Amino acid sequence: MPAVCFYFQVHQPRRIKKYRVFDIGHDEHYFNDSSEADTNNRKIMRKVAEKCYLPTNQVIGELLERHPEFKVSFSISGVALEQMEEYAPDALVSFQNLVKTGRVELLNETYHHSLAYLYSPTEFRKQVRLHRRKIIDLFNYEPEVFRHTELVYNNDLAREISELGFRGILAEGADHILGWRSPNFVYSPSGTSGLKLLLKNYKLSDDIAFRFSSRDWSEWPLSAPKFASWVSALNGSGEVVNLFMDYETFGEHQWADTGIFDFLRSLPTEILQHRDNSFVTVSEALRRFESKGEIDAPHFYSWADTERDLSAWLGNPMQQDAARKVYALEKPILRTKNEALIESWRRLLTSDHLYYMCTKWWNDGDVHKYFSPYESPYDAFISFMNVVTDLELRTREKVNV
């Protein structure tokens, strides 16, 4: 002990192009920017595929071949998968080849990486089914474990996931939820029977995802032997170390010249130097380890920002207004039975659109700005609301509401 559980989130939204008020009623193509801007979805997917997906999958493939004990888990959003099909089929094939090894697990999530559960449980269940269908179609694989968008979680969501038949769910190992307890054990969500919960070890995960290249960090430079020693130090005080992070950490957020690929390439060898260490997928961790007790989370929390709450997406009036307006379209747009309109609406439900409207300052604000393709949160809000207004007009034309 402990077992290391690597879980990687793979996601790319359909970014909305700059959509002016004069475009309302004249342009129904919201995601087709072909300029050099960062709202060009083809350009961004190709860039991320070249910098992250292809080289990192190459390293993961080498590690799977070199170490029979090595295993990883992925959750790949539906909107990322369909963009790989369109713009980066080589990246999709590389993920398919990893899954074929039998030592790579895939998780279920909402197809559109949305916060639909907060506004419409019915739409939430539809998106879970859509994503499951996509995973089966592309990978011939049926997921057993669920991860919600950005690890947003509470007791009610856990009960919903239990009723949908999943064996487990992931969440952030937040201090205010754990109290004195450790994230390095398996738990059970409060109010469920049979469902198990894996919690992110945010300190060790963020050492790789956020601090790896920071020269202001006292532990810089982070080497594989040093990180492996931190994992081995948990022997006797934990059963599973859950390293959850964006896959884009490798090559996209932490560039190749930081040494991140050499670190990843060396890490399994160093972790396996300790004879009690091992690797597990998320479902293996749930099977191998018994629950050490219940986790009670009456309120939503997530893995985003310092607050670990919903404020990354719903923290200011712009975000709240945008969310209310787009989810209010659900019933009329479904009445149209127009697949193109419904798909455009679902693409607007992707949580990233709300994330780009965040107006936080300091470190959290810098992270939001780094990920946003817009010059400001207000530009993101203006384009989004103009598109919603256009979609609303087109819906009215179809159903006369």
Side-chain angles (χ1 to χ4, degrees):
M1 308 276 184
V4 173
C5 181
F6 266 124
Y7 154 72
F8 301 118
Q9 171 65 46
V10 182
H11 170 60
Q12 291 297 322
R14 294 271 191 179
R15 295 163 180 84
I16 299 170
K17 67 183 179 183
K18 186 175 182 179
Y19 196 90
R20 306 164 305 167
V21 66
F22 308 106
D23 296 322
I24 297 173
H26 303 286
D27 185 357
E28 60 186 315
H29 303 293
Y30 314 131
F31 310 97
N32 69 340
D33 189 353
S34 59
S35 73
E36 288 304 308
D38 286 342
T39 47
N40 180 330
N41 291 300
R42 177 189 293 273
K43 186 191 86 168
I44 296 298
M45 174 54 80
R46 277 311 321 170
K47 183 188 76 165
V48 179
E50 298 291 341
K51 292 182 68 177
C52 170
Y53 301 152
L54 290 167
T56 314
N57 285 354
Q58 175 71 30
V59 174
I60 294 291
E62 293 168 5
L63 293 172
L64 289 166
E65 191 170 339
R66 189 185 314 151
H67 301 287
E69 309 91 336
F70 185 66
K71 301 163 185 175
V72 298
S73 303
F74 290 102
S75 186
I76 312 174
S77 72
V79 282
L81 286 170
E82 65 184 24
Q83 289 186 90
M84 286 186 210
E85 288 181 285
E86 289 179 58
Y87 310 135
D90 47 350
L92 177 59
V93 169
S94 68
F95 279 109
Q96 290 170 324
N97 288 337
L98 292 181
V99 174
K100 286 177 183 175
T101 66
R103 286 185 282 135
V104 172
E105 180 171 353
L106 296 176
L107 277 62
N108 209 155
E109 62 171 286
T110 56
Y111 187 101
H112 293 83
H113 201 76
S114 75
L115 298 175
Y117 181 76
L118 280 66
Y119 293 88
S120 170
T122 301
E123 174 61 22
F124 169 77
R125 288 189 286 272
K126 288 178 183 175
Q127 291 196 14
V128 173
R129 287 195 295 270
L130 284 171
H131 187 251
R132 187 177 191 81
R133 185 71 256 166
K134 193 73 170 177
I135 295 297
I136 293 172
D137 288 346
L138 290 180
F139 296 95
N140 191 28
Y141 188 100
E142 294 199 37
E144 302 177 12
V145 178
F146 183 81
R147 69 86 68 188
H148 194 215
T149 302
E150 307 298 327
L151 295 191
V152 170
Y153 174 88
N154 75 353
N155 292 341
D156 292 337
L157 173 67
R159 282 191 285 273
E160 173 79 21
I161 294 307
S162 181
E163 290 173 3
L164 289 174
F166 290 99
R167 298 180 55 246
I169 185 170
L170 310 187
E172 172 78 0
D175 295 335
H176 72 281
I177 295 295
L178 279 166
W180 57 268
R181 291 179 289 185
S182 165
N184 305 320
F185 293 97
V186 172
Y187 293 95
S188 301
S190 178
T192 64
S193 176
L195 188 72
K196 287 184 176 178
L197 175 64
L198 279 183
L199 299 173
K200 172 186 166 186
N201 183 318
Y202 73 81
K203 180 184 179 305
L204 289 176
S205 301
D206 292 353
D207 285 344
I208 300 174
F210 296 118
R211 290 182 281 274
F212 182 81
S213 61
S214 173
R215 295 183 178 232
D216 296 330
W217 182 32
S218 61
E219 298 292 347
W220 186 89
L222 178 60
S223 65
K226 182 190 290 184
F227 191 86
S229 73
W230 295 344
V231 171
S232 296
L234 296 172
N235 271 288
S237 59
E239 294 178 329
V240 56
V241 180
N242 298 310
L243 301 177
F244 299 170
M245 65 196 74
D246 289 340
Y247 201 43
E248 293 80 7
T249 294
F250 302 96
E252 172 68 5
H253 304 163
Q254 306 289 346
W255 291 8
D257 61 8
T258 66
I260 190 70
F261 289 119
D262 293 334
F263 172 83
L264 177 61
R265 192 175 282 110
S266 302
L267 189 57
T269 299
E270 297 299 331
I271 286 177
L272 292 170
Q273 292 281 340
H274 196 299
R275 65 180 183 181
D276 291 332
N277 292 345
S278 62
F279 288 91
V280 290
T281 63
V282 292
S283 62
E284 283 180 327
L286 299 175
R287 278 195 294 270
R288 184 185 298 184
F289 303 114
E290 296 296 322
S291 168
K292 299 302 183 188
E294 281 195 350
I295 293 293
D296 184 22
H299 306 295
F300 283 115
Y301 76 104
S302 73
W303 73 357
D305 294 354
T306 305
E307 298 93 336
R308 301 286 203 274
D309 57 13
L310 300 180
S311 58
W313 307 275
L314 299 170
N316 67 43
M318 284 194 304
Q319 294 168 305
Q320 296 157 13
D321 190 32
R324 275 195 300 268
K325 189 162 184 177
V326 73
Y327 279 100
L329 280 176
E330 179 183 4
K331 289 184 179 177
I333 210 156
L334 292 180
R335 283 172 55 195
T336 68
K337 302 186 186 303
N338 183 301
E339 291 185 8
L341 282 181
I342 293 171
E343 181 54 27
S344 291
W345 173 69
R346 287 194 166 129
R347 289 177 181 179
L348 294 177
L349 302 186
T350 299
S351 63
D352 302 66
H353 303 309
L354 301 173
Y355 188 89
Y356 301 147
M357 301 174 199
C358 181
T359 51
K360 292 182 182 181
W361 295 86
W362 310 115
N363 289 340
D364 286 341
D366 290 342
V367 174
H368 284 260
K369 187 175 180 180
Y370 169 81
F371 283 109
S372 177
Y374 304 99
E375 292 185 9
S376 76
Y378 310 102
D379 290 326
F381 176 74
I382 290 168
S383 284
F384 183 88
M385 295 301 269
N386 286 341
V387 165
V388 171
T389 300
D390 183 80
L391 196 58
E392 194 173 20
L393 289 174
R394 295 180 190 281
T395 301
R396 285 179 179 171
E397 289 173 2
K398 296 287 184 184
V399 295
N400 194 28
V401 295

